[in-house]
Every structure is written in C-alpha cells, then in structure tokens.
Amino acid sequence: MTRQTATDKRALGRLSLRRYVGDLGIIGYVIRLAILLIFAIYFVVPLVWLLFATTRDPTSLYSSWFPLTFGSIDRLATSWSNIIGYQNGEMLLWLGNSIRYAGLSLLGSLAICIPAGYILAIGRFPGRRVLLWLTLITMLLPVSAMVLPMFLELNLAGLIDTQWAVILPAMFFPFGVYLSYVYYGSSLPRELVDAARVDGASELRVFWNLALPLARPLLGLLAFISFNANWNNFFGPYVFLNNDKLYNLPVGLNSIVAATSALRPGFNPTPGAPAFVQADAAMAAMFTIVPVVIVFIFSMRYVTSGAFTGGVKG
Amino acid sequence: MSYLLAAPYVIFMAIFGIGPALYALLMSFSKSSAVGPQYWAAGLDNYSLAFGDSRFFQVFGNLLEFLIVSVPLGIGFVVLLALLLDMRPGRFSSALRLLYFIPGAVTGPALVLLVICILDPTISPFGPLFNFVGTMNFDGLVFPGSLPFVFTLMGFFSGAGMWIAIQHGGLQGISAEVIEAAELDGCNAWQKALYIKLPYMRPYIVYQTILIFALNVQLFVEPQLLTSTWVQANVPPQWAPNQLAYSYAFDVGNFGAAAALSLLMVAIGLVGAVVMIRLTGFFKLEA
C-alpha cells in the first residue's frame, strides 16, 4: 500500500516535471535557463556594482572579498556632497542643461521628422527619391567630417557657446525621418488618404486630421529614440561649447573624470582639482544614468510594440 | 503642398547635413594656411597624405577587425536571446527582457567609466573570473589586440537589450495559426524557433545588420576616452579612423587631411550600405 503510493508519487513527480519543462525538454530547459541567467549576470552585475561603488571607499573596493557589497552611508553622503558641491553645484546646472537640451531637441526633431516621413511615404513628388537617398547618406556622415564645417557655420551665425549650438543641429535627425517613413508606408492605408483627398481635404489637413492621430505608437518610439540620442549627445557640446556652465551631463562627466585622478591612481590631476576617488566618479555617472533608466522603464513598451520594424517585410 | 510638409526637413538637412558635407568635400581639396584656406589649391595632396600616413591602414584595419567581431556576434547573440525569451512568454521572460534593456541607459562617458572599472581586476566584480583565467591587471585585459572585443562587449552591453526588445516586437507578428500548425505537426520549442521563427525574423535581422554597421563605423567617443583622454591605456592614441581624422583637425590643424579621411569613411560606409540596400530592398515599401 505504502509502496504503491510512493511509486505513484514518483510517477506523478516525473509527469509534472515533464509538463513543467514542456516541449523544451529537460536538457533544453536547463540550457535555456543557463544562457538567460549568464546574460542576466553580464547585463546586471556591472550596474549593481556601480550603484554600490558610490558607497565604497577605496579600501573597501580593493580589499572586500565579495565585490557586490554595500560600503557605508557615510561614504555615500560624501560622494553625494562631493558631486553636488563640485564647482559650486555645476552638476545640477548640467542636469538642468541636459533636460533642456534633450527636451527642446526632441520637440524640434519630432516636428520636423513626422511630416517629412509622412510625405515621403504618401506623396509622389519630384525629388522624393533623392531626398530618401540623402537621408541615408546623412545618416552615414561621420562626426569627424561634419564637426569643423558645422563649427564654422555656427560661428558665422554667432551661435558658438550658446545652447542653440547643441539644440539646432540635434533637430536634424535623419534616422527619425526614415523611421516615420517606414511607419507611414506600412501602416497608413493609402485608400484612407485617397478618400480624404477625394473629399477635398488639403494635403496639410489630411496630415493633421488623419495621419498625425494614427501616429501614436510612432510618436512614443521616436520620442524615446530622439531623447536617448540627445541625452547622450557628447560630440556637439564637447566641441561647440567652451563655457562649462553650458555643458550637458556627458561632457560634464568627462570634465570631472579628466580633471581628477578618480580613475587613474597615480595620475597627476589638474592643479586645484578635488581629490576624487572611484565612489565620486560612480556618483557622477549615476547622474547621467538614473534619469535615463527611468525613461527606459516607461518607454520599453514603445520599443516592443513592433512600430520599429513595422515596415520591414522580406 | 507636399513640399510644405517636407520643407523644414529639407532646410535642416541643407544646413546641418548636406551643406557641411559639401564644405568638407571642398576642404579636402584645399590647403590650410595662415591666412585661411586656399580652396582647390591642394589637388589630391590631402588624400595622398592620408593614404601615406602609416596609421592609415592601421586605423582602418582596426575598424575592420571591430566590425568583423562586433556585427556577427552582436546579431547572433541578440537573435539567440530573443528566441530563447520567446520560447516561454510570461513574467519571467518579460522581467529578463527589461533587465537586458536597462543598461541601454549607460552610454558614452558613463559607459567608458564603467568599463574601466569592470576591466580592472583589482576592483572588478568579475575579478575572480579574470584571476581564474590568469589576468591580474588592466593592461592584461586592455591591449591593442583585445580592443575590438572590448568595444564589442561595451556596445553589446549598452545596445543588445534594445535590439532584443525590437526583435521581440517583430516576433509578435507571427500568426498563431502558423505556430499551432507547427505544434500539430509535432514541432517542439527548439524546432519552432529554428524552422518557423528564425526564417520569419530574416528581414528584421537584415535591418538590424544595416543599422549596427552604420553605427559601428562611426566609433569615436569610446576609443577617444579610453585610449587618450582618461587612462592612457597601453593602446595607440588614434585607434579608430574617426580619431585619426579628429587628430588631423585638432592636433595638427590640417583640416584638409581630416576632411579627406572622413570622406573616405563616408565612401566606405556608402558602398557597404548600397550593397546591402540593393540586396535587401531597404527602401521598398510600395507593394
């Protein structure tokens, strides 16, 4: 009797394990899980380490047997006040600049990209094909080719060392035009546009009343990509801005790391520069990372929505 | 009327795209001098200077190595992870997809800072692993031969999650009937991934390849901060073509040579892109 139930139980156990791993197979299940977890470690551990690094003084960093440990609240407070107080609060200034630059560039690029992408997908006008090719070519232009002509141009307009030297060039976003073009080309039914035209709606009206309201998934995705590109814009501000009060966070972070020996033990820092350690550098990096992590968490659904690849058909 | 909607884009393209590019083209045939550039005075001198520079083949060789390592590895692992996650839709997969996605917030200087710490075995969370492999210091991990892999690891860390999410969006397009039919025929999860989903993903993979290629050719900020500005690692200060052009312009003041080199990069990028567009119909939307 008891032997009978034990066998039953074992059989049941095998059965439920079978059912649990399903059509992956037991070995396949384990392999899949192992690969996914190894990559989870690769993606997550460096970030967690950096987060903890803001709380650890060099002794803890170099001697701790386990690399992912919390240091101390005191050290965290020191890192915080070191970075907040860096050159009379420039970090907060840079944070404000970053938000303003990214925000204005985002609005400008959306206002330019979406109508252009729409008309390239829907319109049939002379020069359309040329414009598409130029879009591709400008996507490929390397920064090193553009930076000097652009500097001369901005200098001529008197915009060097103003926020517009960063914002205006960033509003030119050929990749966003291409994405809008793909989106409208694949998901806006042409019959709808034609019907509206037959009803006498002007091209502008069709765009405003029909195409724009249909673009919500595109808008989310474009806003995410444009914000991300602008937030991380390094080259423009690095070359076009001399006044450190106008820096954005990436350029500010660069100036902190380049001036101190936080990442270069033994390197002679700029005279008068604060004696920062890794914890301070990690805290400075957190300023550029954390706002974007929040944006990432909220915008992932736009990336997975399929709007990105909607038009790519084999 | 069509032109009105495209006009702002055309204007911005002229000012911040085509205009500067044409000026760069002009500069590549011009001489820099104390009184200003002498247009067309250089002929092909700037190009021959760039070709004759001993670093020329070095930096393009480096870029080629980087592309050969980063593009196939990047695409391969993104597709693998997207397919593995898709085998078992659910909370666990969604959570992992988000975890893979979040490092995308780390780019540019913050990414270089992180990598410098992670590749220093004395403080790295992977220190024990590095010790096990037998590498005790930063220079043992970051040297000229390892840089293509270092930049690949950096790019994958920051970019893979986004591509996995995009491929996930693409995979949602497979109709349920196709999957059901495959199951009725006795396909298991691996066979479904290999014979149904992977062929379906082909156009998305091509799309990703083109964009990754265009992005990786532009490599600049990461090597610039890693090799010359921050740590002066044991690597040449001009590692990527973009860096060599930047150095021509800002270290030597030879804008003509910088422009010539940059335009060679545009040419290479264009040839690659055109070949891929011809092969894949990147622009074709019209049925």
Side-chain angles (χ1 to χ4, degrees):
Chain A
M1 179 70 185
T2 44
R3 238 179 81 193
Q4 185 65 34
T5 26
T7 325
D8 277 356
K9 252 187 195 158
R10 229 174 294 145
L12 201 68
R14 265 202 300 274
L15 192 70
S16 59
L17 183 65
R18 260 283 154 70
R19 188 174 292 170
Y20 188 70
V21 300
D23 59 352
L24 283 165
I26 295 176
I27 297 172
Y29 183 86
V30 173
I31 291 176
R32 171 181 181 266
L33 197 63
I35 296 176
L36 290 178
L37 290 181
I38 287 171
F39 274 96
I41 290 172
Y42 165 76
F43 284 114
V44 172
V45 165
L47 276 184
V48 175
W49 181 89
L50 191 68
L51 194 62
F52 282 146
T54 59
T55 71
R56 302 171 68 190
D57 54 28
T59 344
S60 156
L61 277 177
Y62 286 109
S63 63
S64 191
W65 66 273
F66 185 66
L68 296 179
T69 41
F70 184 84
S72 67
I73 294 281
D74 279 356
R75 181 59 244 191
L76 178 64
T78 312
S79 312
W80 174 262
S81 61
N82 277 351
I83 291 306
I84 287 286
Y86 180 74
Q87 297 193 357
N88 301 321
E90 279 201 328
M91 202 69 191
L92 291 178
L93 208 60
W94 296 336
L95 178 68
N97 289 344
S98 266
I99 293 172
R100 196 171 66 254
Y101 298 168
L104 289 174
S105 308
L106 165 68
L107 291 178
S109 64
L110 287 186
I112 293 170
C113 289
I114 293 179
Y118 162 79
I119 205 66
L120 282 171
I122 294 300
R124 291 289 173 270
F125 54 95
R128 171 177 169 275
R129 196 114 195 122
V130 176
L131 207 52
L132 279 174
W133 274 102
L134 289 178
T135 300
L136 176 81
I137 292 171
T138 44
M139 270 162 72
L140 287 171
L141 291 172
V143 277
S144 58
M146 306 297 283
V147 68
L148 190 80
M150 225 129 90
F151 184 92
L152 297 173
E153 210 171 59
L154 292 166
N155 196 32
L156 206 65
L159 294 177
I160 290 295
D161 240 350
T162 70
Q163 57 174 343
W164 302 109
V166 177
I167 295 167
L168 289 176
M171 283 164 63
F172 173 60
F173 191 42
F175 181 63
V177 172
Y178 173 71
L179 216 55
S180 314
Y181 159 74
V182 167
Y183 180 82
Y184 279 122
S186 64
S187 60
L188 180 63
R190 283 200 61 98
E191 302 83 61
L192 217 60
V193 179
D194 290 338
R197 281 181 185 150
V198 169
D199 288 349
S202 70
E203 203 70 66
L204 217 57
R205 218 182 144 79
V206 176
F207 172 70
W208 191 257
N209 290 341
L210 184 70
L212 206 54
L214 280 174
R216 203 163 288 162
L218 170 71
L219 211 64
L221 180 66
L222 261 187
F224 168 71
I225 293 176
S226 167
F227 176 85
N228 203 18
N230 297 326
W231 185 270
N232 294 318
N233 186 1
F234 179 79
F235 210 84
Y238 182 64
V239 178
F240 303 143
L241 302 176
N242 297 312
N243 180 356
D244 52 357
K245 299 230 174 329
L246 289 171
Y247 285 177
N248 67 353
L249 280 171
V251 177
L253 175 62
N254 174 49
S255 75
I256 289 184
V257 176
T260 68
S261 50
L263 292 181
R264 290 179 283 187
F267 169 81
N268 262 352
T270 315
F276 283 170
V277 294
Q278 286 96 340
D280 304 302
M283 177 60 83
M286 279 298 151
F287 270 83
T288 77
I289 296 171
V290 171
V292 192
V293 168
I294 295 166
V295 172
F296 263 61
I297 289 172
F298 283 102
S299 24
M300 187 168 163
R301 63 200 174 98
Y302 297 115
V303 181
T304 49
S305 72
F308 207 111
T309 39
V312 194
K313 297 276 152 62
Chain B
M1 237 17 209
S2 303
Y3 292 104
L4 200 63
L5 288 169
Y9 177 55
V10 173
I11 293 168
F12 269 78
M13 177 186 264
I15 299 176
F16 296 114
I18 301 300
L22 289 178
Y23 190 70
L25 186 65
L26 173 61
M27 277 199 302
S28 75
F29 297 108
S30 307
K31 245 189 211 148
S32 319
S33 73
V35 287
Q38 291 171 274
Y39 295 117
W40 305 114
L44 289 172
D45 289 357
N46 291 319
Y47 288 90
S48 58
L49 182 106
F51 271 118
D53 192 318
S54 61
R55 292 169 295 178
F56 179 85
F57 291 101
Q58 191 63 53
V59 292
F60 278 101
N62 291 339
L63 184 68
L64 189 68
E65 274 178 37
F66 170 60
L67 290 173
I68 288 173
V69 174
S70 64
V71 176
L73 280 186
I75 310 272
F77 280 114
V78 161
V79 171
L80 174 72
L81 290 174
L83 285 173
L84 287 180
L85 288 171
D86 198 61
M87 284 176 177
R88 280 281 183 281
R91 256 193 223 147
F92 178 68
S93 290
S94 303
L96 276 184
R97 214 175 276 120
L98 184 63
L99 275 188
Y100 294 172
F101 188 62
I102 284 174
V106 189
T107 57
L111 180 60
V112 178
L113 186 152
L114 182 59
V115 163
I116 289 173
C117 295
I118 298 297
L119 291 183
D120 181 349
T122 52
I123 58 173
S124 169
F126 301 118
L129 181 72
F130 296 144
N131 288 346
F132 182 73
V133 180
T135 307
M136 296 300 284
N137 58 32
F138 184 74
D139 286 341
L141 289 168
V142 180
F143 54 93
S146 78
L147 282 185
F149 295 92
V150 170
F151 295 130
T152 298
L153 282 174
M154 290 168 76
F156 193 78
F157 175 77
S158 173
M162 175 152 166
W163 284 109
I164 291 168
I166 289 168
Q167 301 287 11
H168 172 68
L171 280 169
Q172 304 306 300
I174 302 183
S175 72
E177 289 106 59
V178 174
I179 296 287
E180 266 167 39
E183 279 165 359
L184 279 179
D185 287 348
C187 268
N188 66 28
W190 301 91
Q191 289 163 328
K192 271 187 285 180
L194 199 59
Y195 299 120
I196 311 270
K197 294 174 186 173
L198 190 60
Y200 179 85
M201 286 166 85
R202 206 193 71 95
Y204 305 93
I205 294 170
V206 170
Y207 184 62
Q208 185 190 353
T209 309
I210 294 173
L211 291 180
I212 296 267
F213 172 80
L215 198 75
N216 285 2
V217 169
Q218 304 262 1
L219 185 73
F220 177 76
V221 176
E222 288 81 2
Q224 183 73 1
L225 296 180
L226 190 65
T227 62
S228 58
T229 324
W230 281 7
V231 284
Q232 271 131 9
N234 175 28
V235 287
Q238 282 88 42
W239 190 84
N242 249 334
Q243 283 181 284
L244 184 56
Y246 187 79
S247 164
Y248 280 149
F250 292 93
D251 298 342
V252 193
N254 189 342
F255 299 121
L261 187 61
S262 304
L263 290 170
L264 286 171
M265 288 180 61
V266 179
I268 292 170
L270 265 184
V271 169
V274 168
V275 168
M276 281 191 268
I277 285 167
R278 285 270 175 255
L279 288 177
T280 59
F282 195 49
F283 280 150
K284 279 200 198 91
L285 290 178
E286 306 92 274

